[in-house]
Amino acid sequence: MANIAVTLPHRDAYGAPELKENIRKHTIRGFIISISAFLIFLIVYTILTNRDTTVPMAPVIPMNRIQLEKLADEENPEEKNAPQEIQNMVNTGPAARAGNPVPAPDSEITPDMKDFASIEDINRSSSKGGDGIDNGGFADNIDLGKELTIEKAIEKIPEYGQFQAVEENPKIANYADLKKSVVYPDIAKRAGVEGKVTVAVYIDKYGKPKRTKILESPNSLLDQAAIDAVMRYTGYTPAIQSKQPVGCWLSIPINFTLR
């Protein structure tokens, strides 16, 4: 058999291994460039943010009224020589005085007295009077900074048993409603305690219960329940004296029964 020589195709010098190597190199190079750019940006940002951007300001020096007036005189020397009457002028209010009007003869009424004060003028005037100069403001002798003190009248509650002259005693609108509000204590039930508790309650002039006093009780276990029921009830009518409501004591019996 004759041997046949076959010529193999020439292999290209640049193939897949070379491409893979170039990709790896360029990937590493790109990663290094990205990290470097990020670090440079971070350094520049840190430097810019840490810079002192505050604008220097002159120190604030407190000055009193005398220093301010002296400074104003130095800046405006022509105002310093102004007439004394202008410097002493203040924004005073009208010279009207509160009180009862006093009639005057027609012969004593001058032309400048024919104008009556308006409500606005009266509101700006003081009860002490003034010098008659009205420049549109409040009178200079009104103490605008004075606080008004409002005192609330506190009703004095008399002791139980103290004599009170009343025409009508305080009343309960519906004793059944009061009885429904009584809560029997569980400890008293278990102990078998029952009986009548008499509670004295002070009803003020508005019909509100204010103070209580136990007058009679079979056992202290029932006292607080009776007091709570009396204070919780809202249907009281106050006592009447001289056709006016007044505060007065009222005795209320509260029965506790287990049957």
Side-chain angles (χ1 to χ4, degrees):
M1 177 182 288
N3 294 328
I4 299 174
V6 180
T7 303
L8 297 174
H10 180 69
R11 182 187 176 190
D12 193 357
Y14 191 83
E18 288 77 12
L19 289 175
K20 292 181 179 180
E21 182 64 24
N22 285 337
I23 291 173
R24 188 183 65 82
K25 290 181 180 179
H26 287 299
T27 302
I28 295 174
R29 183 182 301 172
F31 178 76
I32 294 174
I33 293 173
S34 300
I35 293 299
S36 301
F38 176 76
L39 292 176
I40 293 173
F41 172 78
L42 184 62
I43 293 172
V44 173
Y45 176 78
T46 304
I47 293 174
L48 292 178
T49 54
N50 290 335
R51 290 179 60 186
D52 187 7
T53 58
T54 56
V55 179
M57 299 179 64
V60 178
I61 302 175
M63 302 181 68
N64 55 31
R65 184 175 61 84
I66 298 177
Q67 292 173 329
L68 291 175
E69 292 177 353
K70 183 179 180 181
L71 182 61
D73 293 341
E74 293 176 355
E75 293 180 354
N76 303 304
E78 65 279 359
E79 295 182 1
K80 185 176 181 180
N81 298 324
Q84 187 67 23
E85 291 79 7
I86 299 177
Q87 293 184 2
N88 293 336
M89 182 177 294
V90 293
N91 188 20
T92 58
R97 171 177 293 180
N100 296 326
V102 179
D106 294 340
S107 59
E108 297 181 4
I109 299 178
T110 59
D112 60 340
M113 301 172 100
K114 293 182 179 180
D115 295 331
F116 293 94
S118 63
I119 297 298
E120 180 184 0
D121 296 334
I122 295 174
N123 290 337
R124 293 185 294 107
S125 64
S126 71
S127 60
K128 299 179 181 179
D131 53 10
I133 302 175
D134 185 7
N135 294 322
F138 286 91
D140 56 353
N141 54 11
I142 296 179
D143 188 7
L144 299 177
K146 185 177 180 180
E147 297 182 357
L148 296 178
T149 302
I150 301 177
E151 297 182 357
K152 183 179 179 181
I154 300 176
E155 183 180 1
K156 184 178 180 180
I157 299 177
E159 295 295 331
Y160 177 79
Q162 183 177 344
F163 175 75
Q164 291 180 265
V166 294
E167 297 171 357
E168 296 182 17
N169 292 320
K171 300 180 181 65
I172 300 175
N174 193 326
Y175 184 78
D177 292 341
L178 173 60
K179 190 175 180 180
K180 291 178 182 178
S181 65
V182 178
V183 179
Y184 210 123
D186 291 337
I187 187 172
K189 287 182 179 180
R190 292 195 299 267
V193 177
E194 58 182 351
K196 181 179 70 173
V197 178
T198 303
V199 183
V201 56
Y202 184 82
I203 309 299
D204 67 3
K205 61 181 180 179
Y206 302 105
K208 304 294 184 181
K210 291 299 182 180
R211 183 180 298 176
T212 59
K213 179 181 179 63
I214 300 295
L215 302 181
E216 180 184 0
S217 174
N219 194 294
S220 60
L221 295 177
L222 303 174
D223 293 353
Q224 191 59 46
I227 292 174
D228 293 341
V230 168
M231 294 297 291
R232 206 165 30 235
Y233 184 69
T234 59
Y236 297 107
T237 301
I240 300 297
Q241 173 63 26
S242 300
K243 299 182 180 181
Q244 298 293 329
V246 294
C248 187
W249 286 91
L250 173 66
S251 298
I252 302 175
I254 305 293
N255 293 314
F256 292 87
T257 57
L258 297 172
R259 294 183 298 275

